[in-house]
Amino acid sequence: MQGSDLTPYWNTNVARHPGILRAVPDGCRDALDVGCGDGLLVRKLAARARHVTGVDSSPRMVARARELSAGRPGTDFVEADFLAADLPAAGYDFVCSVSAVHHMDFTAALVRMRDLLRPGGVLVVAGLAREATAADWAATAAAAPVVRVTKVLRRAGGPPGMPAADPRMSYGEVRAEARRLLPGVRYRRHVLRRYTLTWRAPPA
């Protein structure tokens, strides 16, 4: 689906963007997008934060993000493995990640995102999980017809060269580990193996 430079295409990752943008805290100074891909969400976040950094391990994706974001103030991109990237501890008011955490060690990634937040900062992770129970498979089967129709109507697509990987953790494993690492986290399941985690760091 074609549109402005902020809506050049639609897919199930882009479908999570409105909820992520709504979670940005008022007065956000610094935001971080983990696994930023071509920088689409970074450019949207730039309207809600003073400065937005995107980090991605794919040279192709970071190059594309820099090209598409050229001349847009308040954005920058880091090509690095997120778990080893040189990022300021407790340096962000908002940290988010869309369909990237399953490419990393889940526990290490969540701990690092948590530790990058300033007191009172907000973390939103939109990730992928696998079916492991009969209820999981039933929910996936029930949603499949609607998902197929939506993809056709919206002409689902995305940036070429985006790395792909199958999720290793089940919904239950994700929920349990997130609750252990992020006390009070809000977990929500979505269609197409998606879930979201929303958490606010304790105030100072």
Side-chain angles (χ1 to χ4, degrees), residues 56-102:
D56 202 293
S57 61
S58 168
R60 181 176 181 180
M61 287 292 99
V62 171
R64 182 62 173 156
R66 288 171 175 160
E67 177 187 354
L68 292 172
S69 306
R72 189 178 293 273
T75 62
D76 75 282
F77 297 91
V78 177
E79 180 193 323
D81 175 353
F82 168 65
L83 296 179
D86 183 14
L87 300 168
Y92 301 93
D93 302 298
F94 185 72
V95 175
C96 64
S97 181
V98 180
S99 297
V101 72
H102 69 286

